[in-house]
Amino acid sequence: MEVPVHVQELLDALRAGGFTACPVGGCVRDSLLGRVPGDWDLCTSARPEQVKQRLSGRWRTVDTGVAHGTVTVLTAGGPVEVTTFRVEDGYSDHRRPDGVRFVASLEEDLARRDFTVNAMALDEGGIVDPFGGRADLEARVIRCVGEPAARFEEDALRILRALRFAACLDFSIEPATLAAARAAAPTLCRVSAERVFAELDKLLRGAGAGRVLAESGDILAQVIPAIGPCLGFDLHTPRHDRDLWAHIARAVGLAPARRNVRWALLLHDLAKPACFALDAGGVGHAPGHAARGAALARQILADLKAPGRLARAVEPLVRWHDTPMPQDLPGARRWLGRWGWPTLEEMVAVKRADLRAHAATAVIRRRLEEADRFERLAGEAHRRGDCVSLEQLAVNGSDLMRAGVCKAGPRLGRLLGAALNEVIEGRLENDPETLLAWAKTQKN
């Protein structure tokens, strides 16, 4: 296992002072999986003041969590957190330890960690793995260290972390760990909205997101209550061969791992139960669910304290996910002018994943072909730089006024809009002379 130079220098400095020091947790896990760790965390027998005394002559240190034993060291390779071996005493709020005690034993420190795959360290003799984390990596399993119920009782956020690691690593959750997570799920109400969002945001972009969502809907309903009515909900239509939540989970799993797309698919059908009705033939319909779902999506993301830019991006993806896409070039240009190419790419991705999560009927196959055609038309228009907005029109209001076509006022705006429409429809070329000549022929 290769340790970066800037990390090895910290290890060497601490060990030269007579302290034990080891890379620990996620960096060890990722290295064993053949991944490049995003960051490196160290644990050590040195107390925070000893870490600073030992390292501050060469590196700058920041007291990011001294009360809990953590000092951040600013190195040329990036910040590295160095934390004293510790155990934690009591979690009266199911989130944060009431106190910590520094200990001298690496094994005691590893025993307080959440999952076996995160409870490994690298000392001078090799991998330290007292809880079978390496075997669980090979088996592709997320398992709590020790008794799962105790781990989740200590920190409810670990419930979502278990789901997130399973999704991001594409692992399964060990049955006893999953059962304990279900039993403890009501305690998720104690976790801040910001932390819930952070875990869900990572979970949704994981390779195993669809599978994890499918098996944990009852847990996730504790943090997004609108999920609850979707569990086991029969849509009573031949286009759906699974219940509503299973459809949503499958759609997420079939989509590209783009943030806006996967959030939109998680939320796109949550309003269906509230809009649902059976027709005279016993077939289910949910009229208005897309518009109602867009409003619900905005509210859910607000409740989760999600970034405003995410809510603004997701809302149209939900609102328009069920709308037929134009099949002619002028229609594709109009959508391109309204939304812009990046958003249209995401709309197509949402549409395609949603359709593929349905039963493979003739209707669904036709709609997939329509999505492909729309993407081709809009993509070609984008690449050619077709005029799709007033900003791209070869004349503006000042040009028309200078040419004596009309004065400032409502008619000017109407004339520009009409000119744009003629260009979009392909009846006029987008050049100044053609547009001015046409404008002079317009009486209204």
Side-chain angles (χ1 to χ4, degrees), residues 42-263:
L42 307 184
C43 60
T44 179
S45 59
R47 300 293 180 95
E49 62 275 13
Q50 294 172 316
V51 170
K52 291 192 290 183
Q53 183 179 26
R54 184 70 192 164
L55 301 180
S56 59
R58 180 174 173 187
W59 296 278
R60 183 183 165 205
T61 64
V62 180
D63 292 352
T64 48
V66 170
H68 293 88
T70 300
V71 174
T72 298
V73 184
L74 305 180
T75 76
V80 178
E81 287 192 353
V82 181
T83 302
T84 304
F85 297 152
R86 72 188 196 198
V87 295
E88 295 159 349
D89 297 322
Y91 288 78
S92 57
D93 65 355
H94 299 275
R95 268 296 290 124
R96 302 167 194 80
D98 297 331
V100 300
R101 289 184 292 110
F102 298 140
V103 295
S105 163
L106 171 61
E107 286 72 15
E108 282 185 274
D109 181 89
L110 295 177
R112 72 176 173 82
R113 296 175 182 266
D114 50 9
F115 309 114
T116 61
V117 297
N118 297 333
M120 295 181 285
L122 177 67
D123 70 6
E124 294 175 275
I127 300 294
V128 179
D129 179 21
F131 303 105
R134 204 165 189 173
D136 283 341
L137 282 182
E138 293 174 2
R140 302 178 65 82
V141 167
I142 299 298
R143 181 195 313 270
C144 280
V145 172
E147 176 54 46
R151 297 290 80 76
F152 296 136
E153 172 70 17
E154 291 165 349
D155 185 355
L157 184 64
R158 288 172 174 167
I159 299 167
L160 295 181
R161 283 171 59 83
L163 304 185
R164 186 250 291 183
F165 281 121
C168 292
L169 298 175
D170 203 8
F171 283 14
S172 63
I173 301 177
E174 182 266 332
T177 296
L178 184 57
R182 284 202 167 95
T187 63
L188 284 168
C189 66
R190 301 171 182 267
V191 180
S192 72
E194 292 87 348
R195 299 304 297 272
V196 169
F197 171 78
E199 294 298 327
L200 293 180
D201 197 42
K202 294 173 185 174
L203 185 164
L204 283 174
R205 283 177 276 179
R211 174 183 50 78
V212 170
L213 291 177
E215 69 184 14
S216 62
D218 53 339
I219 296 173
L220 294 173
Q222 298 292 328
V223 292
I224 301 180
I227 289 173
C230 301
L231 302 176
F233 191 89
D234 188 344
L235 290 157
H236 292 279
T237 169
R239 292 199 299 272
H240 284 279
D241 54 359
R242 47 182 57 83
D243 69 60
L244 179 54
W245 179 246
H247 163 75
I248 290 170
R250 180 167 168 75
V252 170
L254 289 170
R258 294 173 62 169
R259 186 190 211 187
N260 296 342
V261 170
R262 289 205 165 174
W263 269 104

Side-chain angles (χ1 to χ4, degrees), residues 409-424:
R411 181 172 178 264
L412 182 61
R414 289 196 300 270
L415 197 55
L416 287 169
L420 176 62
N421 185 63
E422 292 297 305
V423 171
I424 285 175

